[in-house]
Amino acid sequence: MDSKRIAVMDLGTNTFHLVIAEGATDGFKELFRQTEPVKLGEGGINKGIIQPAPFERGITTMQAFKKQIDEYGATEVKAIATSAIRSASNGQEFIKQVKEKAGIHIELINGEQEAAYIYSGIKASGALGNQNSLVIDIGGGSVEFIIGNNKKVLWKQSFEIGAARLMDKFHQTDPIPVTAIKELTRYLNGQLIDLFAAAIQYKPVNIIGSSGAFESFAEVIEIKKGKTFDIKQTKVYEFDTDDLLDLIELLIKSSHSPRASMKGIIPVRVDMIVVASLLTIYMMQKMGISDVSMATYSLKEGVLADMLG
């Protein structure tokens, strides 16, 4: 079989990702990876508009991605847009301008398709077993929840409760006040009714966090132990429950500057990691699950796996 060179872009609310890979017998071999903190949702995520500055950052990033794609000679190119572009009134205008200025066609997918790709990515990482797992992908605009095992998806749904949206709604003061945490909890109770019904039916035994904030949790924990942690070499990471709970408590009580100086948290995630931490501990308590792991694969690896499959 001829190997194919494929470029996949995941255009999220906070970050734009590009991965260029070559089809190999055992899946794919990564050749190049780039992540840009575009912050497309900045100043407008809950208003349903992409503001002028992030709009321009997005265009510039896509032009830079195009250069890399051409340099590597990728023959198949797929750009996937999710929550921020999906829910913005000028999302279509952004798609049009990227086509004109960067020569890249963006495919807008819905939450269901997003969850399906995330499942494919998690499955490709080897994180799923025979038992039912709850996969959580915390994006900036939306959060995807998937219940499934290494054979199939049993249930999946996307909720517009991403970290950028939650931060905009609840995390106005640093450290986040107890009253805001209570409001956030009430809000999640109301938003996630469908998920709780599915969990009663399918009884997931563990939580698998898909990249994003979960990568930061793992990096901070390992660095604190004085270990070198290479996220690029890691596909799946098992959390020690106490380590994870201690870190979450620390993050929830923290203010901006201690978070910013923590090794292992990338700048774009310094503030959003608070609501991501609250969402994580909320899910663990609500589900009664203490077994949590992290997979570095998510949407883009799912798209790659599907394109090469």
Side-chain angles (χ1 to χ4, degrees), residues 112-164:
E112 282 289 295
Q113 291 166 297
E114 195 173 344
Y117 278 135
I118 290 161
Y119 170 77
S120 294
I122 296 290
K123 191 178 171 187
S125 77
L128 292 161
N130 299 324
Q131 294 177 296
N132 294 347
S133 298
L134 171 65
V135 173
I136 305 176
D137 188 295
I138 305 174
S142 62
V143 178
E144 281 66 49
F145 292 97
I146 303 137
I147 300 174
N149 49 49
N150 56 10
K151 304 278 188 296
K152 62 179 179 193
V153 173
L154 299 162
W155 178 90
K156 63 182 184 333
Q157 199 172 323
S158 177
F159 297 82
E160 295 290 302
I161 56 162

Side-chain angles (χ1 to χ4, degrees), residues 54-296:
F55 196 102
E56 278 313 305
R57 288 198 296 267
I59 302 287
T60 309
T61 299
M62 293 305 282
Q63 289 169 325
F65 281 0
K66 181 71 166 87
K67 273 197 183 119
Q68 293 295 345
I69 291 163
D70 291 347
E71 233 166 77
Y72 277 87
T75 49
E76 286 185 48
V77 178
K78 207 169 174 80
I80 304 279
T82 56
S83 179
I85 299 173
R86 194 162 61 221
S87 61
S89 54
N90 56 345
Q92 287 300 332
E93 181 55 32
F94 181 78
I95 290 171
K96 185 167 150 264
Q97 286 204 30
V98 167
K99 184 87 179 110
E100 284 168 13
K101 295 177 178 174
I104 293 170
H105 166 73
I106 294 176
E107 194 183 319
L108 193 59
I109 63 167
N110 63 29
E112 282 289 295
Q113 291 166 297
E114 195 173 344
Y117 278 135
I118 290 161
Y119 170 77
S120 294
I122 296 290
K123 191 178 171 187
S125 77
L128 292 161
N130 299 324
Q131 294 177 296
N132 294 347
S133 298
L134 171 65
V135 173
I136 305 176
D137 188 295
I138 305 174
S142 62
V143 178
E144 281 66 49
F145 292 97
I146 303 137
I147 300 174
N149 49 49
N150 56 10
K151 304 278 188 296
K152 62 179 179 193
V153 173
L154 299 162
W155 178 90
K156 63 182 184 333
Q157 199 172 323
S158 177
F159 297 82
E160 295 290 302
I161 56 162
R165 294 184 198 278
L166 294 180
M167 192 175 120
D168 188 52
K169 270 191 166 81
F170 301 103
H171 188 187
Q172 304 288 355
T173 317
D174 223 12
I176 189 168
V178 173
T179 49
I181 296 173
K182 285 180 175 160
E183 278 170 36
L184 171 64
T185 303
R186 269 199 300 273
Y187 178 72
L188 293 174
N189 284 341
Q191 292 289 316
L192 298 174
I193 291 161
D194 290 357
L195 168 63
F196 305 137
I200 289 165
Q201 188 177 350
Y202 297 112
K203 300 178 179 54
V205 295
N206 65 322
I207 288 172
I208 301 169
S210 165
S211 64
F214 292 95
E215 284 183 353
S216 296
F217 296 154
E219 287 201 59
V220 173
I221 286 167
E222 287 301 301
I223 290 166
K224 272 185 190 297
K225 288 179 182 169
K227 293 180 182 169
T228 50
F229 185 65
D230 186 359
I231 202 82
K232 291 183 187 71
Q233 298 303 316
T234 308
K235 278 189 192 174
V236 181
Y237 173 90
E238 293 283 339
F239 287 101
D240 173 291
T241 311
D242 291 337
D243 288 346
L244 181 60
L245 293 175
D246 287 348
L247 175 61
I248 284 174
E249 190 184 353
L250 179 73
L251 289 168
I252 291 167
K253 289 178 176 170
S254 69
S255 50
H256 178 88
S257 56
R259 287 196 302 273
S261 61
M262 260 186 217
K263 286 187 174 66
I265 305 177
I266 57 170
V268 74
R269 230 171 262 153
V270 165
D271 291 325
M272 284 181 212
I273 200 155
V274 175
V275 288
S277 298
L278 284 163
L279 182 59
T280 304
I281 186 77
Y282 171 86
M283 290 313 304
M284 289 171 76
Q285 289 171 343
K286 202 80 179 168
M287 297 283 167
I289 292 174
S290 58
D291 180 356
V292 183
S293 58
M294 175 275 292
T296 53

